[in-house]
Amino acid sequence: MTRLIDAASAGELGEAEIVAALSNRADAEGLKTAAAANIPTGVIEHRAYKSREDFDRALADAIDVHAPDLVLLAGFMRILTEGFVRRFDGRLLNIHPSLLPLFPGLDTHRRALAEGVRLHGCTVHFVTPCLDHGPIIIQAAVPVLDDDDENSLAARVLAEEHRIYPLAARWFVEGRLTLAEGRVRVAGEQREAALIAPLLGGQT
Ligand code: NHR
């Protein structure tokens, strides 16, 4: 969330203006960053609702107050119901810390290390009711190094998350993303642009 706010301030999101920052956690770091940037913030505590449907409806209502064109999940850790996802169909994005469809769900860095993969990374995708399986917009790959632990690997992936999420948001805002048959097309980009693969030569 902090990175997206900083990106917007730096003009990296094109014409986009961040209209609100909402969280289910009052202690989310991004809320402080948002408040400091004079962006309206809100907290919708999931524990205050008796079902996922009720929480999702309250969250969706809080989002709609700001009438956003695009909704970005950033570190959001509650699985969203079909009703929520449908309400924001085609304008709800997530960034996931793995090269999907590998390692959907939680603990992706631990699982990547346990499997011994040599390539890991992150994925920005449209959110669908099927967790971490929506159409993919952009991915970044990073090497897994022999000495990596969860923290070092997570940090290498995070640096790429910070690069590709603002880029995907900018493409959306510029109207360059189209969806057909479950695949995303990015208008006016080099073919390779939606795959970021830095430093695969070996250094960190
Ligand atoms: N909701 C839908 N419908 N589809 C997606 O693709 C979603 C989603 C909600 C969140 C982010 C996701 C991630 O990229 C995300 C994608 C939380 C969990 C999870 O298991 C899984 C994936 C993601 C976020 N959450 C537990 C739950 O019961 C709670 C875990 C916790 O609180 O620590 O909701 O990683």
Side-chain angles (χ1 to χ4, degrees):
M1 203 186 260
T2 292
R3 167 64 183 134
L4 290 169
I5 293 162
D6 291 344
S9 305
E12 292 172 42
L13 303 188
E15 303 278 279
E17 175 196 355
I18 299 188
V19 292
L22 306 176
S23 180
N24 61 317
R25 300 178 52 138
D27 63 349
E29 191 62 34
L31 295 179
K32 288 182 211 151
T33 316
N38 288 316
I39 293 164
T41 63
V43 177
I44 299 91
E45 293 255 20
H46 61 272
R47 278 183 221 84
Y49 298 88
K50 66 177 186 333
S51 68
R52 280 187 190 263
E53 283 75 15
D54 286 357
F55 167 66
D56 280 10
R57 206 172 302 115
L59 179 60
D61 289 346
I63 292 170
D64 275 343
V65 165
H66 303 279
D69 299 305
L70 176 62
V71 179
L72 301 168
L73 302 181
F76 184 74
M77 293 311 292
R78 307 294 306 171
I79 295 172
L80 294 160
T81 56
E82 184 161 357
F84 182 99
V85 171
R86 291 212 185 291
R87 201 157 144 179
F88 298 101
D89 186 38
R91 54 193 178 107
L92 177 60
L93 307 187
N94 177 45
I95 186 157
H96 180 77
S98 78
L99 291 174
L100 291 172
L102 284 175
F103 313 123
L106 305 175
D107 294 323
T108 57
H109 307 307
R110 185 180 57 70
R111 289 155 64 202
L113 288 170
E115 293 290 353
V117 295
R118 291 296 185 179
L119 267 184
H120 189 41
C122 48
T123 303
V124 179
H125 64 95
F126 282 98
V127 174
T128 65
C130 187
L131 185 72
D132 293 331
H133 280 281
I136 291 171
I137 297 166
I138 183 169
Q139 296 185 296
V142 302
V144 180
L145 304 181
D146 290 348
D147 295 332
D148 271 333
D149 58 18
E150 262 185 78
N151 288 332
S152 61
L153 184 55
R156 194 174 306 115
V157 172
L158 185 64
E160 298 310 311
E161 294 182 50
H162 286 172
R163 166 143 68 160
I164 67 172
Y165 211 6
L167 191 53
R170 182 161 63 80
W171 287 345
F172 183 97
V173 166
E174 291 174 347
R176 288 158 68 181
L177 302 180
T178 49
L179 255 168
E181 285 148 38
R183 285 175 70 182
V184 176
R185 188 175 285 274
V186 185
E189 267 311 311
Q190 297 297 318
R191 258 190 322 147
E192 299 80 12
L195 168 63
I196 307 266
L199 305 178
L200 291 183
Q203 75 269 46
T204 58

